[in-house]
Amino acid sequence: MLLKDKVFVVTGGAGLLGKEFCKSITDNGGISVIADYDVPSAEKVKQYINSDNIYIERIDITNEVSIFELINRVNTNFGKIDGLVNCAYPKNKNYGKHFFDISYNDFCENINMNLGGCFLTSQLFAKFFYRQGYGNIINIASIYGIIAPRFEIYKDTIMTMPVEYAAIKSGLIHLTKYMAKYFKGKNIRVNTISLGGLQDGQPTSFLNAYKNFCINKGMLSPQDISGTLIYLLSDLSEYVNGQNIIVDDGFTL
């Protein structure tokens, strides 16, 4: 029980990755707060996990009042918050277009919602952690925050690697380092997990092309990332700070 009785808020906890993170936290003795904008989906995740240590809170990571109220409610209920996992990924309806089809306004809005939302959430939680005397922040980035896109794997599909994604995830990795240094002496750790692609109904041609760059499995499942999360949330990683841990089956090699 590496996380026994510890309380963690997972933004985007109702998503593909977030729900497995919440499950892994409870499997290891912790308390998961599914913090999501989509409460009906969060209710389904709660039923899927089926644990007494799962709670739901609605959050808008771009809204200061929403975040502040969530922190107060969780702290009132449990008397503490041990950590935050920034897993939410808000985007507008035009997200994911090819480079020359993206408008300036859409580019800015997606970065503002996503990277800006992660900043705002981290900022407000860090203020709470300062008062509490400790805290732990985990950001979820990507291999495409580290290397240039391998556009060739998208050949013969309608898919692409969105430029907003590259800007958001690379920015998030450096934001992690910035915060880790800024919080020096405050007993707050900040780390990033940069994951490879998650299998989620992509075309077979894409999956095969992607796997050619990997060592064993190819695209990952959310469960493949959970062990790294538990390590970073637990005391096993007590002196791991400001790091970017890559979990990608060798895709970036």
Side-chain angles (χ1 to χ4, degrees):
M1 296 286 100
L2 291 171
L3 306 180
K4 184 173 174 56
D5 298 328
K6 291 188 175 184
V7 179
F8 299 102
V9 173
V10 181
T11 69
L16 177 68
L17 192 58
K19 75 174 185 178
E20 292 301 332
F21 282 176
C22 290
K23 184 177 187 303
S24 292
I25 289 168
T26 59
D27 286 347
N28 282 273
I31 297 167
S32 294
V33 178
I34 305 171
D36 207 286
Y37 191 80
D38 184 351
V39 174
S41 291
E43 292 285 357
K44 292 178 182 178
V45 171
K46 183 177 181 180
Q47 294 174 12
Y48 159 73
I49 296 173
N50 191 26
S51 169
D52 292 335
N53 288 331
I54 286 286
Y55 300 85
I56 295 172
E57 290 286 351
R58 187 181 184 277
I59 191 174
D60 176 355
I61 69 167
T62 67
N63 185 299
E64 185 172 350
V65 173
S66 175
I67 301 165
F68 182 74
E69 289 179 347
L70 179 145
I71 292 170
N72 283 341
R73 287 194 301 268
V74 175
N75 184 47
T76 298
N77 288 339
F78 301 104
K80 64 173 183 173
I81 304 173
D82 291 281
L84 164 70
V85 182
N86 280 312
C87 198
Y89 197 84
K91 50 188 179 290
N92 73 14
K93 63 181 181 180
N94 294 320
Y95 174 86
K97 292 184 176 181
H98 284 259
F99 184 84
F100 290 113
D101 298 326
I102 300 166
S103 73
Y104 172 77
N105 287 338
D106 283 332
F107 180 85
C108 291
E109 183 178 9
N110 281 305
I111 290 180
N112 182 56
M113 286 194 299
N114 206 307
L115 183 58
C118 185
F119 158 75
L120 181 61
T121 307
S122 297
Q123 182 190 56
L124 297 182
F125 269 82
K127 287 182 179 180
F128 170 81
F129 291 151
Y130 266 49
R131 298 191 300 270
Q132 178 174 258
Y134 67 92
N136 193 347
I137 299 174
I138 309 296
N139 293 317
I140 306 301
S142 166
I143 51 176
Y144 282 145
I146 303 166
I147 64 170
R150 291 189 164 130
F151 290 111
E152 61 269 31
I153 67 176
Y154 300 95
K155 184 180 178 182
D156 300 325
T157 77
I158 61 172
M159 302 164 57
T160 190
M161 213 301 287
V163 65
E164 306 101 313
Y165 188 84
I168 290 163
K169 295 305 187 183
S170 58
L172 190 56
I173 291 168
H174 204 75
L175 180 63
T176 293
K177 297 176 183 180
Y178 181 102
M179 291 192 294
K181 289 294 289 287
Y182 192 86
F183 303 153
K184 182 178 179 180
K186 298 299 182 180
N187 199 26
I188 300 172
R189 295 197 292 124
V190 191
N191 291 288
T192 301
I193 302 173
S194 283
L195 53 140
L198 296 179
Q199 189 165 350
D200 188 26
Q202 296 92 340
T204 301
S205 61
F206 171 80
L207 296 175
N208 291 337
Y210 183 98
K211 187 174 182 179
N212 286 335
F213 287 97
C214 298
I215 294 174
N216 292 308
K217 182 176 183 178
M219 296 204 88
L220 305 174
S221 69
Q223 293 89 339
D224 295 328
I225 317 297
S226 295
T228 302
L229 176 78
I230 299 306
Y231 166 70
L232 289 174
L233 291 178
S234 76
D235 293 339
L236 292 176
S237 58
E238 184 177 4
Y239 298 107
V240 178
N241 208 344
Q243 301 304 305
N244 178 36
I245 299 181
I246 301 169
V247 185
D248 71 345
D249 193 24
F251 184 89
T252 52
L253 295 178

